Amino acid sequence: MKVGIVGAGMVGSAAGYALALTGHASHVVLVDRNAALAQAQAEDIAHAVPFASACVVEAGDYPALAGAGVVILAAGVAQKPGETRLELLGRNAEVFAEVVAEVRRAAPEAILLIASNPVDVMTQAATRMSGLPPGRVIGSGTILDTARFRSLLARHLGVAPQSVHALVLGEHGDSEVLAWSTARAGSVPIGAFADQMGRPLDAAARAAIDEGVRRAAYRIIAGKGATWYGIGAGLARIVRAIAADQRDVLTVSMLTPEVMGVQDVALSLPRVIGAAGVLADLHPELTAEESEGLAASARLLKDSATTLGF
């Protein structure tokens, strides 16, 4: 599959690198308003390809996106240290209007994969701007938060992250909900698994993991200015599900008709992803506290989108 990436900064280039090395894309095109940056990133990634795959990596302008099955939108201004994702709203919405129009002209059949923050509101905005069905405009959402949750649980339990099944729902941001009640390891409820391993998940352990997931981006941004490796791999994972029509269940964001009584809001739920985009939404059985957290997250995101007219 040909994949376009608009925005050749750290997130866009990390996604291109992940796609090229894993072979999830046969052709990657990087587009950026800074043509020299796009060219440099494409050349650098292309030089890694012989070690791993046969992916063609190049830079171009919007017309070079023609024929792409997926276009990743990673354009926008970066999150500043201490700035919440929602504070990026006004600055990124203006950038998006121009980008979405150009991508739709060049690659009208492409699924849009949104990576720019605040990703949930940007997903809602891109859906409205593009006129595409909601299932064909997918935000990376909490795919990275879910990976962080699984990773920290696995580290505590002393097992591989691939053996841990845990979800983060709602906003990719401060109001996100860690669904502890549905977490499993090897099909065993996470609390029982922890007890059997002699590594109980007491209140202190749960609080540390919650903080580790919820504050991860702020720590990384404080240390190196931005996050890019984790989300780059997450974007490549979503592309893989689309390119191979895998029907994978991933926590991604999409404009959803109703969530916890909130109408028309983009946020993350576990969703079935295939060649046509989002094929189905899943609604986990949550505790009352988790349900209220998800409702609060939905209300926050709805209010933010409404301020932009979306």
Side-chain angles (χ1 to χ4, degrees):
M1 174 184 281
K2 181 177 181 179
V3 177
I5 301 175
V6 180
M10 298 311 300
V11 170
S13 61
Y17 183 67
L19 285 167
L21 261 64
T22 58
H24 296 335
S26 59
H27 188 176
V28 173
V29 178
L30 290 165
V31 176
D32 197 280
R33 65 194 306 172
N34 182 344
L37 174 63
Q39 183 62 42
Q41 298 282 35
E43 283 194 41
D44 197 13
I45 295 169
H47 297 160
V49 167
F51 298 111
S53 75
C55 180
V56 174
V57 184
E58 61 182 352
D61 208 340
Y62 285 105
L65 300 174
V70 175
V71 176
I72 296 170
L73 303 187
V77 293
Q79 187 175 5
K80 298 176 181 178
E83 182 181 38
T84 69
R85 294 178 180 94
L86 293 179
E87 288 170 345
L88 286 173
L89 267 175
R91 299 199 295 143
N92 267 338
E94 295 178 4
V95 174
F96 246 54
E98 177 184 346
V99 169
V100 169
E102 293 284 1
V103 170
R104 290 287 288 139
R105 276 193 287 270
E109 302 302 317
I111 290 172
L112 302 184
L113 181 49
I114 314 302
S116 301
N117 276 322
V119 69
D120 301 293
V121 179
M122 290 296 100
T123 298
Q124 184 152 345
T127 304
R128 301 298 195 203
M129 292 171 180
S130 67
L132 286 167
R136 295 185 65 81
V137 183
I138 304 170
S140 57
T142 59
I143 193 168
L144 178 55
D145 308 274
T146 290
R148 289 167 175 161
F149 192 19
R150 293 172 63 202
S151 176
L152 290 174
L153 278 171
R155 186 179 303 174
H156 177 85
L157 298 171
V159 298
Q162 292 81 359
S163 296
V164 176
H165 304 280
L167 306 171
V168 177
L169 310 173
E171 179 199 1
H172 172 52
D174 297 338
S175 71
E176 65 192 17
V177 177
L178 278 64
W180 284 94
S181 66
T182 66
R184 300 286 187 274
S187 80
V188 178
I190 203 70
F193 187 96
D195 290 342
Q196 291 179 44
M197 294 291 290
R199 303 186 182 196
L201 279 163
D202 57 20
R206 288 179 182 244
I209 290 171
D210 184 283
E211 194 275 342
V213 174
R214 203 176 298 277
R215 302 295 299 175
Y218 294 108
R219 288 194 303 276
I220 295 169
I221 290 168
K224 69 173 192 175
T227 68
W228 55 81
Y229 292 126
I231 189 57
L235 292 165
R237 181 67 186 86
I238 298 169
V239 170
R240 172 184 163 192
I242 296 168
D245 194 22
Q246 289 185 320
R247 314 293 177 105
D248 288 317
V249 177
L250 303 171
T251 53
V252 295
S253 188
M254 186 187 84
L255 181 58
T256 310
E258 187 272 332
V259 179
M260 306 301 294
V262 181
Q263 308 296 314
D264 296 322
V265 62
L267 48 61
S268 285
L269 293 171
R271 307 182 194 269
V272 181
I273 310 295
V278 175
L279 305 179
D281 298 339
L282 303 174
H283 296 270
E285 294 184 3
L286 304 174
T287 64
E289 182 179 1
E290 290 165 349
S291 294
E292 178 49 42
L294 183 57
S297 188
R299 290 192 295 268
L300 173 66
L301 289 168
K302 178 67 174 182
D303 290 346
S304 298
T306 299
T307 64
L308 286 182
F310 299 110

